[in-house]
Amino acid sequence: MTSFAPDSIVLNRKLPLWYQVSQSLRASILGRSPRDPLRLPTEERLAEHYGVSVLTMRQALKELEDEGLITRHRRRGTFIEPDVRRGAPVRLLGSVDAIVAQQSGMATRLLGHGRAPVPAELAEHFPDLAEVATYHRLRGDEKTGEPTNHARNYVRPETAARIDPDDLVRWPMTKVLRDVVGADIARITDTVEARLADPETARLLRVPLLSPILHYTGVTYDGDGRVLDAAVIHYRGDRFSFTVTLDATPDPTPDPAPDSAPEAT
């Protein structure tokens, strides 16, 4: 039986390795094609793929098992749950793969894209531009079709020139920027606040007017400190929560960097 092939990552030695691996694998699982196999490679092969110990890999898999994304069967192997419910809370510890995972795994429809003036609330992020490329997407539960959030991305025109809009139906913008465009993502800042649904948001998310929503703004910077993308996303308040964990303790099971592991960035 052919096994599911997860994406690769560059590990950051300042963050717990099990967490980075679990979030990368989570993003791969939630962003998979329906035609992809459901069986995962063995613990040993996954550990080799990510450049970590089997113990660390086991801890990462337990995180996904506890979330209900995978099931483990003795002698048969580990399998992706095909009917897992999407939109679960995500713990963000500073990993880009955590952002990708948080954005992945929902049915996505591209409502439109083009050029538009820089919105006033984002002008500070694009001081050198009058116009940006825009992408508007509606995302929802794959099984029920229930809308869960709608996203507007504002991207530098020279970066947008390398984006295929069809990729944004399958993958989150962060993954497209990093893995398809090859952008140097150095930092992402997230801001989440409570708001009341305006008429457009209420219509798209099928919620009552003025019902509570989560208003998220994510700004992605390159290595020169320049903004690549500013995302404004409205989440249904009854379907999402955000948890940020600040861990001041070192990873309890650190791995020595394998000879073949890439340099940390």
Side-chain angles (χ1 to χ4, degrees):
M1 179 185 296
T2 303
S3 297
F4 176 75
D7 295 337
S8 297
I9 60 171
V10 176
L11 294 173
N12 183 338
R13 298 288 159 176
K14 295 180 181 179
L15 296 173
L17 299 181
W18 68 266
Y19 170 77
Q20 295 178 74
V21 170
S22 70
Q23 291 304 300
S24 176
L25 186 53
R26 183 181 191 274
S28 295
I29 289 172
L30 294 180
R32 75 190 187 281
S33 164
R35 299 180 298 276
D36 288 339
L38 293 177
R39 185 174 186 172
L40 290 178
T42 64
E43 286 181 353
E44 291 75 14
R45 287 190 176 275
L46 284 171
E48 181 181 0
H49 173 78
Y50 285 112
V52 298
S53 70
V54 173
L55 182 62
T56 295
M57 193 67 240
R58 194 168 295 155
Q59 189 175 2
L61 290 172
K62 185 179 185 304
E63 178 83 358
L64 300 182
E65 185 180 25
D66 290 345
E67 189 180 331
L69 280 176
I70 61 174
T71 54
R72 313 183 75 185
H73 304 276
R74 191 171 183 179
R75 297 190 179 91
R76 289 182 53 213
T78 302
F79 295 83
I80 299 169
E81 278 293 326
D83 298 325
V84 66
R85 184 173 177 82
R86 315 308 175 111
V90 177
R91 290 183 292 165
L92 302 180
L93 294 183
S95 165
V96 171
D97 285 284
I99 302 296
V100 172
Q102 176 258 313
Q103 298 169 346
S104 298
M106 289 170 280
T108 302
R109 183 157 54 101
L110 184 63
L111 300 180
H113 63 93
R115 293 284 193 97
V118 177
E121 65 270 26
L122 300 177
E124 65 179 294
H125 301 303
F126 300 102
D128 57 328
L129 297 177
E131 282 191 339
V132 286
T134 65
Y135 302 88
H136 187 196
R137 290 168 294 158
L138 182 65
R139 298 184 284 210
D141 188 281
E142 287 184 332
K143 289 189 65 177
T144 66
E146 179 185 44
T148 56
N149 70 87
H150 76 90
R152 294 185 186 272
N153 289 83
Y154 303 89
V155 182
R156 300 189 70 87
E158 64 270 25
T159 302
R162 293 181 284 161
I163 294 176
D164 183 344
D166 290 340
D167 286 340
L168 293 175
V169 175
R170 180 178 179 186
W171 295 310
M173 176 64 82
T174 305
K175 180 175 178 63
V176 170
L177 288 174
R178 186 188 65 180
D179 298 341
V180 180
V181 173
D184 172 23
I185 297 179
R187 179 166 57 97
I188 298 175
T189 62
D190 292 341
T191 303
V192 182
E193 58 183 296
R195 290 196 181 180
L196 300 179
D198 58 32
E200 181 191 32
T201 298
R203 175 180 61 82
L204 289 172
L205 299 185
R206 302 179 195 168
V207 296
L209 183 64
L210 300 182
S211 60
I213 61 168
L214 294 177
H215 179 88
Y216 164 96
T217 304
V219 183
T220 301
Y221 299 83
D222 67 13
D224 296 324
R226 190 177 60 164
V227 172
L228 296 169
D229 164 55
V232 177
I233 308 176
H234 290 154
Y235 292 94
R236 283 181 53 156
D238 60 344
R239 290 293 303 275
F240 283 89
S241 64
F242 285 80
T243 300
V244 178
T245 301
L246 301 178
D247 189 353
T249 60
D251 183 0
T253 56
D255 285 41
D259 292 339
S260 59
E263 291 291 330
T265 58

